[in-house]
Amino acid sequence: MIVHPGDAVRATAGHDREDLFLVLREEGDFLWLVDGKRRKLETPKKKRRKHVASAGVWTHPVAVRVKDGAPVLDSEIRAALAEARNKLNESKEV
């Protein structure tokens, strides 16, 4: 699976299964994930690519800033992931 910084992913394994994260950076087979709450920018979660699934196409301004390497805040990440979570839940209801 191809995942890049700024993409939203859902954990498929581990104690954080089904949680939504933002990919902060990639390093070989590992991804560094943040959610702005439990996993902040100072302490990202290191997870293998095979243990995440894409959460679909996501073009949020925060994602674009992460891709460009621009600074973001944990609060912005939390708000962006909440918006993505709401969109995912709406699509499941239909």
Side-chain angles (χ1 to χ4, degrees):
M1 173 180 59
I2 299 174
V3 180
H4 300 290
D7 290 353
V9 295
R10 187 171 297 283
T12 59
H15 71 278
D16 55 2
R17 184 179 308 124
E18 297 302 316
D19 289 349
L20 200 59
F21 292 96
L22 177 73
V23 178
L24 187 61
R25 65 181 187 265
E26 52 187 336
E27 198 174 279
D29 192 36
F30 290 96
L31 301 172
W32 295 88
L33 310 174
V34 293
D35 66 2
K37 188 175 182 179
R38 287 182 294 143
R39 289 299 178 168
K40 297 187 179 194
L41 292 166
E42 299 84 31
T43 57
K45 171 133 181 92
K46 185 178 178 182
K47 199 161 189 83
R48 288 193 183 272
R49 286 180 189 270
K50 67 181 180 179
H51 294 149
V52 299
S54 175
V57 176
W58 196 51
T59 56
H60 194 279
V62 171
V64 173
R65 288 177 33 211
V66 169
K67 287 178 186 178
D68 294 340
V72 294
L73 301 173
D74 288 317
S75 59
E76 294 172 322
I77 293 170
R78 278 194 311 272
L81 289 175
E83 186 178 312
R85 193 175 297 109
N86 290 338
K87 286 183 180 181
L88 286 172
N89 288 338
E90 287 173 5
S91 66
K92 286 182 182 178
E93 291 175 2
V94 173

